[in-house]
Every structure is written in structure tokens, then in C-alpha cells.
Amino acid sequence: MSRIVILAEGSFQFHAAKTAVGVIRYSKDTVVAVIDSTKAGQDVAQALQTNFGIGIPIVRDIREALPYQPDTLLIGIAPRGGNLPAAWRWQLLTAIEAGMNIVSGLHFFLSDDEELRQAAEKHGVMLYDVRRPPEKKVVANYTPHRAGSHTILAVGSDCSTGKMTTMLELEQTARQRGLNSAFVATGQTGIMISGNGLPIDHIICDFLAGMVEEMVLDFCEKYDWVFVEGQGALNHPGYSPVTLGLLHGTLPDAMIFCHIAGATTIDGYQHCPLPSLPEMIRMNEDAVNWLHPHHNSKVVGISLLTHHLSEAEAHAEIQRIEQETGLPTVDVLRFGADPLVDAIQRYFNA
């Protein structure tokens, strides 16, 4: 168990600091402070206007965080391009000199930086680059999952549609029901939270499906219900390859579709309209069943992000989407994951 301070300078908000928010909400480690000079003096709950993170202070810099006795500095945001901003370097070096390990999900690997590496060696601390892929290379073998296991994958209409959060909430609800379940991480934040998984956006394409297959098969041997974090979207102009590799490596028995209420285009690609929900659902089912026809894998429910809507508007949109798709729909953060776990259990018991 670590005592973590999270670096989220200038960006501590839901969308820009997904890693920070996910770790605060789900990690078993203790978050003792968040660094963001633009929100210093508030606590996490005040800054995010939410009901978690109450009492976790936001401080100006690493020096103000040290009295809270952290032993780990975690980089909680991902600047565009995934590089280390020059203005952050002194904070990392100060943390290292104070004997703190550094955990990073950047595309830039801290352990490849000579200055940081030498400082870490001098002070006996670890630089953990979560996105560094294993050296092992595996091509998919198309091996069936253990009979009696159930693999559920989150897919979605875009990036940042709540795929990790949905799977964490589903797995937690399944465990509360006494099911033998596990969450499988496929991105840096999920790995930081769970301590397992693969950074699939850093695996060479030829080996992506194989590495995912090997990981999922291992989980299926140990657990009856395996909830796999999704990545990207099949209809995304930039990130569809990683989604397809994940679909074919996981070969899910069922899927949950994740969507932001009211979204009409890919975020950042305003000339890339979203297909209709039924069409996007069909795209994902078809892509899995190219390889999985006998299992006839289906999307069995929809996880909807409604944080920008009032509660009445959220209920109305949930009802509209249920009518449009014929699938149970819920915002798992606002209204709980039970409707989706019910749908999954119905599907496998049918």
C-alpha cells in the first residue's frame, strides 16, 4: 500500500485528469494530496464538484505535498503527445530526492531519461513506466476460453466514454453478488488501479491480439467472470486499430457499449459524425463474430455518461436509448451497475 501524491498541474478536472480521477476513486492505495497550483486550497471533492475525494487536499507543488508524507508521486494527467513537460521536471527531481518512487503513464519513458534515471539510482527509488510493454512477443493462437468462464468487454462510440469505469463498477457489483470475478486492465490508468494488465497502445500490432489473448486466458482459468477494460472505438479515425486488436484478442462472450449522452461526433474530429447507436453496436458485434461466430457475441447493455445532464434529463435520455436499442441502459456512476449485471446474468442464463 502506497501513500500517493498525484501530479495534475493545471488540469485537475474530470476529462483532462482521467488517470488522477480514476486512481482517487478506485485505487486501494491512499491518495494524500493532489498537485495543481490553479486549484490549491481546495480539496478534491470541491474541485471536481463530486462526492468522493472529500478531505484530500490540493496543493501548489511537490514541496507543499511533502508534509503529507507521500512515498510515491504519480503523474495523473497525459499532456498531448504524452511527453514530459519541461516545467514538471523539477517536481519529479524534488520527489526523487525526497525518496519517492515515480509512477508514470506517459508515452515518454522516465527510465530512459538520463537525469531522472541517475537521480533515481542515487536515491534508491523506482521509476515505473506503466506504458512500457513486456518484451515478450506472442501471436494469437485462437485458443478457446475455459468452459464455465464468461468474458465481458467494454466497447464504445469514442475514447473517454467510461469503458474503464464501467468495467470496474460491473466487477465490483459482481463481486458483491458473490460472483468469482476480476477486472482486467488494458490501459495505464487501469494498470495503476489494479496492479495488473497490459498497456495495449504500446504493443506492436502483430502481437497485440496474442498478448491480450494470453492475458485473458490466464484470467479465465482463475475467474468465472472476467471484465475487460476497453480502448478506443472501431469508428475512431485515429484509434480503431487498437480496438480491433483488443476485440480479437479478448474474443468476448458479451459486450457492454459505452457512450456519452448527446454525443454526435468523435471528440476532436468534428467532421467525423458518429453512426447511430444500433449501427455502432452492430459494427462491434460483427467484428467479434468474424472470429467468434458460434458464440454469437452480443452487446447486452449500454453504459451511458450523463454527468452533464440533470437527473431528470438523464432518466429521459436513458429511456430514449432503451427504446432506440432495446437494451438496458444506465449511468453506472449515478444510478449503479445493477441493471447491467442483471442483463449479463440473464444473457448467460438464457
Side-chain angles (χ1 to χ4, degrees):
M1 300 293 288
S2 298
R3 292 177 58 81
I4 296 172
V5 58
I6 298 177
L7 177 60
E9 175 56 36
S11 299
F12 188 59
Q13 51 189 292
F14 271 104
H15 186 72
K18 289 193 307 178
T19 295
V21 172
V23 169
I24 291 167
R25 178 181 271 149
Y26 295 110
S27 177
K28 295 176 182 176
D29 294 313
T30 300
V31 176
V32 299
V34 173
I35 296 170
D36 183 351
S37 62
T38 67
K39 293 182 172 63
Q42 303 180 57
D43 73 2
V44 165
Q46 291 171 323
L48 298 178
Q49 296 186 332
T50 188
N51 59 358
F52 65 88
I54 297 170
I56 299 176
I58 301 178
V59 298
R60 194 168 306 280
D61 57 31
I62 184 62
R63 287 188 288 256
E64 288 191 8
L66 292 178
Y68 297 97
Q69 298 182 306
D71 57 35
T72 301
L73 174 69
L74 183 146
I75 297 177
I77 54 178
R80 189 173 180 85
N83 291 316
L84 177 68
W88 292 3
R89 183 172 287 269
W90 78 268
Q91 302 220 49
L92 270 62
L93 287 168
T94 301
I96 290 169
E97 290 165 6
M100 296 167 62
N101 298 316
I102 311 293
V103 178
S104 169
L106 299 176
H107 288 287
F108 171 85
F109 293 153
L110 303 185
S111 54
D112 289 343
D113 182 277
E114 191 65 19
E115 182 182 29
L116 295 173
R117 187 185 60 77
Q118 287 186 6
E121 288 180 358
K122 177 181 177 181
H123 295 280
V125 302
M126 179 185 74
L127 302 178
Y128 180 27
D129 291 304
V130 177
R131 265 193 164 117
R132 188 182 291 278
E135 293 184 9
K136 187 176 184 180
K137 296 176 174 61
V138 178
V139 176
N141 288 313
Y142 195 56
T143 303
H145 298 178
R146 176 180 64 83
S149 66
H150 312 84
T151 301
I152 301 96
L153 173 68
V155 295
S157 57
D158 199 348
C159 303
S160 302
T161 55
K163 293 182 284 289
M164 180 194 74
T165 298
T166 296
M167 290 293 103
L168 284 164
E169 292 288 333
L170 290 178
E171 193 279 325
Q172 187 177 76
T173 301
R175 202 166 359 102
Q176 289 169 352
R177 294 185 180 193
L179 302 179
N180 178 29
S181 64
F183 166 79
V184 181
T186 61
Q188 72 274 13
T189 306
I191 294 171
M192 291 176 185
I193 291 167
S194 66
N196 69 60
L198 287 171
I200 68 169
D201 61 0
H202 261 263
I203 295 175
I204 295 170
C205 283
D206 276 2
F207 310 116
L208 195 164
M211 295 291 287
V212 169
E213 177 190 53
E214 181 179 71
M215 176 174 65
V216 170
L217 286 170
D218 181 57
F219 273 88
C220 286
E221 287 299 315
K222 301 171 184 173
Y223 300 94
D224 296 331
W225 300 84
V226 177
F227 294 90
V228 184
E229 175 189 9
Q231 298 293 334
L234 277 182
N235 52 292
H236 196 291
Y239 301 127
S240 57
V242 75
T243 309
L244 184 60
L246 181 58
L247 280 163
H248 285 174
T250 303
L251 286 181
D253 303 304
M255 292 170 282
I256 298 294
F257 192 87
C258 302
H259 181 62
I260 300 174
T264 58
T265 62
I266 293 288
D267 184 38
Y269 295 79
Q270 298 310 308
H271 300 295
C272 188
L274 296 179
S276 69
L277 277 173
E279 186 176 350
M280 289 187 285
I281 288 167
R282 188 165 54 250
M283 287 165 52
N284 283 275
E285 291 175 344
D286 287 347
V288 173
N289 292 318
W290 294 335
L291 298 185
H292 219 21
H294 302 302
H295 285 72
N296 193 27
S297 182
K298 293 285 187 184
V299 170
V300 300
I302 296 175
S303 176
L304 192 67
L305 287 180
T306 67
H307 55 84
H308 52 298
L309 303 179
S310 69
E311 187 163 325
E313 290 170 336
H315 282 300
E317 183 65 3
I318 286 168
Q319 186 175 28
R320 187 191 69 78
I321 287 177
E322 286 185 334
Q323 291 173 347
E324 180 184 4
T325 63
L327 294 170
T329 302
V330 72
D331 183 327
V332 298
L333 290 179
R334 294 180 83 167
F335 309 121
D338 285 297
L340 297 183
V341 178
D342 290 343
I344 290 166
Q345 290 190 285
R346 282 196 306 269
Y347 178 73
F348 287 111
N349 290 331

